[in-house]
Amino acid sequence: MAGTVPKLAAPRPAAAGPLPSQSLRSAALAFAPSARRFRVSLAGRARSPVIAMASAKEGNGAVTKRTTLHDLYEQQGQSPWYDNLCRPVTDLLPYIANGVRGVTSNPTIFQKAVSSSNAYDGQFKELISAGKDAESAYWELVIKDIQDACKLFEPIYDETDGADGYVSVEVSPRLANDTQGTVEAAKWLHKVVNRPNVYIKIPATAERVPSIKEVIANGISVNVTLIFSVARYEAVIDAYLDGLEASGLSDLSRVTSVASFFVSRVDSLIDKMLEKIGTPEALALRGKAAVAQAKIANQLYLKKFSGPRWEALVKKGAKKQRLLWASTSVKNPAYSDTLYVDPLIGPDTVSTMPDQALDAFIDHGTVARTIDANVSEAEGIYSALEKLGIDWEEVGKQLEHEGVSSFKGSFDSLLTSLEEKGNALKTAANL
């Protein structure tokens, strides 16, 4: 985004309306084994605010204590999602009971899940015995997890009329520069998962932005991921709007999307640049870039999802492409562990949190509307960084490249491991 960011007036905060919750919590815990205590924690540290107790007498669960996640959604309209998925998928039940309303996954998450657990071994052995190769087996493992997770979140999806309760699965990272290949992969995943509350995850590389338009036009809901700059975010919004307009559907209400705007990684990179500059002015801006840019992205969201073009789509049932805050775990231990959650709370947004961020926010997060507070200050920080020589678009490109490479590395590493395991199984079978 060249030049200084334009001044955009901050809208006046308005209280979020009441939202349904109790029946969802009851339904979620109904799956839980009776008389079992769950704790959502980080590295084994149990937190008292996140305990749910299932009732042995009644055979279903009851929440013993509300969490800040319930308040986040019911008071502020922000949906807390969990950035993790592994087997047994029923481990998600206590998270759902304590306020989690969706799940995100990526190739790195699955690489860790499959390589660190024997829970996948039985199905993998069956797939190899049936003649599947390693990559085909990988997708079978992933699809089962996604389908099972979608089932757990269906009550939320149904109660909110398709506004929430989504589970995201990403297309192959090997398609990062393949526009049409991404479209075909998204269609295939959508078809084989076959769940109304699945999001097909597509990284927002330059080559994949046209894919987003075509996938949306095909009536497939999308989680656009790896967004690191306001300029790329605007291209993603335009792709969503173009896709809705090109769909030819008379009812757009079931085609939804989130735009995953990454946060903490921005500070990790820009902080290094600021330390290299080394002036007092530069050092004073450390830890401020990511939240500032996110607030500006939200102002763009408000601008783009208003006016005649958007209102014409609303008449056909279109829903806004919600901003989803991703990369919310704090990388610098000197910063508050809720730095990338507390300042970005607002209606019609999503915050997906890995264990570290989720644990911290439940324990001591602050539930208050903050997304449109101090917008002028955020614009000032954004411009000050530009004056110091920080090129926001270049930052976005570098982080995008690192993100794509990281996911591809995880994907390739896991496939190599699965190939080795598959060969070992075949050898053993022939002995």
Side-chain angles (χ1 to χ4, degrees):
M1 193 172 188
T4 57
V5 93
K7 293 285 182 180
L8 297 169
R12 187 174 180 179
L19 297 164
S21 63
Q22 185 57 48
S23 62
L24 295 177
R25 296 198 293 275
S26 299
L29 274 173
F31 288 95
S34 60
R36 180 179 177 186
R37 174 174 292 232
F38 296 107
R39 293 172 185 265
V40 178
S41 63
L42 174 65
R45 293 198 320 276
R47 300 285 196 180
S48 59
V50 285
I51 298 173
M53 179 76 81
S55 167
K57 182 177 180 181
E58 298 180 13
N60 61 16
V63 176
T64 58
K65 189 170 184 177
R66 285 177 58 85
T67 77
T68 51
L69 300 183
H70 298 128
D71 295 337
L72 183 65
Y73 178 70
E74 293 169 17
Q75 296 175 17
Q76 299 301 329
Q78 183 173 78
S79 297
W81 289 6
Y82 182 42
D83 191 30
N84 199 16
L85 182 60
C86 63
R87 293 186 186 178
V89 174
T90 49
D91 281 354
L92 290 170
L93 289 168
Y95 292 83
I96 295 170
N98 288 288
V100 166
R101 305 180 61 79
V103 158
T104 48
S105 68
N106 60 50
T108 299
I109 284 173
F110 277 115
Q111 189 266 338
K112 291 177 181 177
V114 176
S115 63
S116 64
S117 169
N118 60 10
Y120 296 84
D121 291 354
Q123 185 188 1
F124 180 71
K125 186 174 181 179
E126 291 176 2
L127 292 166
I128 294 300
S129 298
K132 299 283 187 180
D133 60 27
E135 185 167 359
S136 297
Y138 164 84
W139 285 112
E140 294 274 1
L141 298 175
V142 167
I143 288 165
K144 176 170 173 50
D145 279 8
I146 295 298
Q147 289 175 328
D148 290 348
C150 282
K151 185 66 176 176
L152 295 182
F153 283 93
E154 262 186 31
I156 296 174
Y157 176 84
D158 291 340
E159 186 162 325
T160 60
D161 194 27
D164 221 346
Y166 287 91
V167 179
S168 297
V169 59
E170 190 162 332
V171 296
S172 171
R174 290 177 172 175
L175 299 170
N177 302 314
D178 186 342
T179 303
Q180 195 55 39
T182 295
V183 173
E184 296 307 316
K187 289 179 180 178
W188 176 76
L189 269 176
H190 176 73
K191 181 178 179 180
V192 296
V193 173
N194 192 29
R195 295 291 186 274
N197 56 327
V198 66
Y199 267 145
I200 307 304
K201 209 171 183 185
I202 301 177
T205 60
E207 294 84 358
R208 280 172 158 176
V209 169
S211 307
I212 297 162
K213 173 190 172 180
E214 188 168 342
V215 173
I216 291 292
N218 275 274
I220 297 171
S221 295
V222 176
N223 176 344
V224 185
T225 189
L226 293 180
I227 304 172
F228 295 99
S229 70
V230 176
R232 182 55 54 83
Y233 174 47
E234 184 164 18
V236 166
I237 296 174
D238 289 339
Y240 176 63
L241 297 175
D242 290 345
L244 291 176
E245 290 170 340
S247 71
L249 295 171
S250 58
D251 179 10
L252 297 172
S253 63
R254 291 297 169 181
V255 186
T256 70
S257 181
V258 291
S260 295
F261 202 97
F262 280 55
V263 193
S264 69
R265 294 189 198 182
V266 173
D267 272 346
S268 296
L269 177 56
I270 290 183
D271 280 2
K272 291 177 183 176
M273 296 177 171
L274 294 172
E275 286 165 4
K276 188 174 181 179
I277 295 170
T279 63
E281 180 187 12
L283 297 177
L285 290 171
R286 288 178 296 181
K288 297 181 179 180
V291 169
Q293 182 181 223
K295 285 178 178 283
I296 290 168
N298 185 68
Q299 293 296 302
L300 178 63
Y301 161 86
L302 296 172
K303 179 182 177 182
K304 297 286 282 190
F305 289 100
S306 63
R309 182 186 187 188
W310 175 243
E311 290 305 319
L313 289 168
V314 170
K315 290 178 181 177
K316 293 184 177 182
K319 294 176 179 175
K320 294 177 181 177
Q321 181 187 55
R322 290 189 295 173
L323 260 171
L324 180 152
W325 309 120
S327 183
T328 53
S329 62
V330 173
K331 309 296 191 290
N332 188 333
Y335 297 159
S336 164
D337 54 6
T338 59
L339 175 62
Y340 303 115
V341 182
D342 281 354
L344 299 176
I345 295 173
D348 299 321
T349 56
V350 179
S351 182
T352 190
M353 294 172 265
D355 287 293
Q356 177 202 50
L358 190 70
D359 194 46
F361 186 74
I362 288 175
D363 187 58
H364 51 267
T366 301
V367 177
R369 180 163 174 162
T370 52
I371 185 60
D372 41 23
N374 305 315
V375 173
S376 294
E377 180 183 345
E379 291 171 341
I381 291 169
Y382 191 98
S383 297
L385 288 163
E386 284 185 321
K387 291 175 182 176
L388 287 171
I390 303 296
D391 186 325
W392 284 97
E393 287 197 48
E394 286 304 313
V395 166
K397 289 177 183 177
Q398 181 176 334
L399 289 171
E400 177 187 293
H401 174 74
E402 291 173 0
V404 169
S405 297
S406 175
F407 286 166
K408 185 176 183 298
S410 295
F411 185 79
D412 291 344
S413 174
L414 178 56
L415 287 190
T416 298
S417 296
L418 291 177
E419 284 171 2
E420 292 171 354
K421 185 181 287 189
N423 289 335
L425 287 171
K426 291 174 184 176
T427 300
N430 292 329
L431 291 177

